[in-house]
Amino acid sequence: MQGYGTNVRGLGESRRLKDVARKHALLPLRIFLGVTFIYAGLDKLTDSSFFRASGTGSIGETMHAVRDSSAIPALVDLALKSPGAFGYAIAIGELAVGLGTLFGLWARLAALGGALISLSLWLTVSWQVTPYYFGNDLAYLMAWLPLVLGGAAAFSADALLASRRRRIR
């Protein structure tokens, strides 16, 4: 029966393993979303055509293309008033969210920002994709929610700061 965790020593090791797994469960998600959003932000910031009001690959062209099929055309209209500024806001937001998530600094706030970016992209750019599960923005939105709820318990600036606060008290 030792292999099934029924002895005292095996049961204790199993609990420790579960505690470690629970503490680190969101780490792969944090790494994936953090790296992905950093890459997305940098990709936009290094693409000069992205910030233009028109032309191939521009934010303006994308917004014009999805305006009539979006769930919230008013949001698209707002973006079209200043496509370049909107493009910079998205790119810098993605970069800030990615860095905060990857390093676990204000992790819940960063995850909330990532969820809001994903929600806005789903309701505008990905809304017309059918079937809905082909659009990736909804999946990103759902991926952010565990991080909004759970934060960054391990290998994070938040955990480091919390432990320093506990030592000071």
Side-chain angles (χ1 to χ4, degrees), residues 77-145:
D77 290 338
L78 181 64
L80 284 170
K81 288 184 183 202
S82 183
F86 182 75
Y88 276 108
I90 290 291
I92 292 169
E94 286 175 338
L95 187 58
V97 161
L99 289 169
T101 301
L102 187 62
F103 293 111
L105 180 61
W106 299 330
R108 284 190 168 111
L109 182 61
L112 180 62
L116 291 174
I117 290 170
S118 296
L119 176 64
S120 67
L121 291 174
W122 176 53
L123 292 174
T124 56
V125 179
S126 301
W127 186 253
Q128 76 283 0
V129 175
T130 54
Y132 75 92
Y133 50 83
F134 282 167
N136 64 354
D137 294 312
L138 179 58
Y140 278 106
L141 171 60
M142 293 300 119
W144 282 112
L145 296 182

Side-chain angles (χ1 to χ4, degrees), residues 26-85:
L26 296 177
L27 189 58
L29 191 58
R30 264 185 50 216
I31 292 169
F32 170 74
L33 290 171
V35 168
T36 300
F37 269 58
I38 290 168
Y39 179 80
L42 290 175
D43 188 45
K44 288 172 181 68
L45 288 170
T46 57
D47 181 4
S48 60
S49 65
F50 176 75
F51 300 103
R52 296 188 183 139
S54 63
T56 305
S58 70
I59 185 73
E61 178 183 310
T62 301
M63 292 293 105
H64 280 293
V66 301
R67 197 245 173 245
D68 293 332
S69 62
S70 114
I72 307 176
L75 184 59
V76 177
D77 290 338
L78 181 64
L80 284 170
K81 288 184 183 202
S82 183

